[in-house]
């Protein structure tokens, strides 16, 4: 009888070990985290964050938020918009990514700063708003590293969320209007995180 109990114990141990390994691999693959490193479940999604249409240029074409073909986070969304002004095409976009850990969000924020340094972004004197709750918050304006002309950008981290908003600047999208959109996005994040 003791051999049978030993065999059952060994088989049970290996079944439990296999289940634990499968669950760990699934968690790492789907959530980019492992056991206690995972961020808490949220009652909202990146798709609950939007651009305030009333602050965009009147003739702007706003695409609905989509999941990028190569999402960088556990959950990723992108909104793009375009408008014409004086025969030229202008545009911008909002990227929101949720990562499996705050550490990964911090790394991606730092990575974004590296790429931002490839352009000539500097703090603009008219854009003074700073988020009261963001863990990291940076705005700046300058020549796009992709030769898209003069633009302003926001890069902000809210716990495990990374928000990147950028827009061309012209007559219909001034630095002041850009700042109003930044404030609106920040207020959305405050509201969503406060409901948790």
């Amino acid at each position: 009888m003791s051999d049978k109990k030993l065999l059952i114990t060994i088989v049970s141990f290996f079944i439990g070990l296999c289940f634990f390994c499968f669950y760990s691999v699934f968690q790492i693959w789907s959530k980019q985290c492992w056991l206690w490193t995972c961020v808490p479940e949220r009652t909202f999604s990146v798709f609950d964050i939007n651009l305030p249409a009333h602050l965009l240029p009147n003739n702007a074409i706003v695409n609905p938020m989509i999941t990028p073909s190569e999402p960088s986070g556990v959950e990723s969304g992108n909104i793009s918009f375009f408008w014409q002004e004086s025969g030229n095409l202008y545009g911008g976009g909002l990227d929101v990514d949720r990562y499996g850990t705050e550490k990964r969000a911090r790394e991606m924020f730092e990575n974004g700063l590296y790429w931002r340094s490839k352009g000539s972004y500097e703090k603009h004197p008219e854009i003074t708003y700073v988020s009261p709750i963001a863990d990291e918050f940076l705005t700046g304006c300058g020549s796009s590293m992709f030769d898209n002309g003069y633009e302003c950008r926001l890069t902000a981290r809210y716990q495990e969320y990374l928000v990147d908003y950028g827009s061309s600047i012209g007559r219909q999208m001034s630095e002041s209007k850009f700042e109003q959109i930044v404030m609106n996005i920040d207020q959305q994040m405050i509201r969503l995180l406060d409901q948790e």
Side-chain angles (χ1 to χ4, degrees):
M1 275 312 251
S2 65
D3 288 343
K4 192 173 182 181
K5 283 184 179 181
L6 180 62
L7 181 61
I8 290 171
T9 303
I10 291 171
V11 168
S12 297
F13 173 78
F14 279 110
I15 289 173
L17 183 62
C18 288
F19 176 77
F20 177 77
C21 290
F22 174 76
Y23 178 75
S24 296
V25 168
F26 173 76
Q27 197 174 36
I28 291 167
W29 177 76
S30 68
K31 295 187 175 187
Q32 300 175 344
C33 61
W34 188 64
L35 299 177
W36 59 87
T37 67
C38 295
V39 293
E41 291 297 320
R42 299 287 188 180
T43 58
F44 66 94
S45 149
V46 298
F47 292 91
D48 293 323
I49 301 158
N50 58 50
L51 284 172
H54 68 282
L55 293 175
L56 297 175
N58 291 334
N59 65 348
I61 297 169
V62 183
N63 297 313
M65 184 176 271
I66 60 168
T67 300
S69 57
E70 294 184 22
S72 64
V74 172
E75 188 180 31
S76 297
N78 168 269
I79 299 173
S80 60
F81 64 95
F82 305 93
W83 77 95
Q84 280 203 316
E85 186 178 302
S86 305
N88 295 319
L89 187 64
Y90 293 87
L94 171 67
D95 292 304
V96 183
D97 296 293
R98 181 176 189 234
Y99 294 95
T101 64
E102 283 193 44
K103 179 179 183 235
R104 181 71 176 146
R106 277 192 302 274
E107 290 169 355
M108 295 308 289
F109 182 86
E110 293 298 322
N111 189 40
L113 296 183
Y114 168 77
W115 286 109
R116 181 182 273 216
S117 71
K118 298 296 182 189
S120 60
Y121 298 98
E122 293 182 9
K123 186 83 177 129
H124 193 279
E126 291 180 32
I127 302 173
T128 58
Y129 180 77
V130 177
S131 171
I133 70 154
D135 298 291
E136 298 174 90
F137 191 88
L138 183 63
T139 59
C141 301
S143 298
S144 164
M145 67 179 180
F146 300 112
D147 294 328
N148 293 338
Y150 181 71
E151 67 178 12
C152 290
R153 297 203 75 81
L154 158 73
T155 305
R157 183 179 67 81
Y158 302 83
Q159 298 172 25
E160 74 269 23
Y161 290 90
L162 190 61
V163 174
D164 187 57
Y165 166 65
S167 177
S168 301
I169 301 298
R171 278 194 341 267
Q172 297 183 51
M173 177 62 74
S174 63
E175 289 90 348
S176 173
K177 196 168 266 194
F178 169 84
E179 183 177 42
Q180 290 175 31
I181 293 172
V182 166
M183 291 165 65
N184 182 285
I185 292 168
D186 189 57
Q187 290 303 311
Q188 290 180 65
M189 291 302 299
I190 289 170
R191 179 179 49 80
L192 291 168
L193 290 169
D194 275 353
Q195 74 187 17
E196 292 296 306

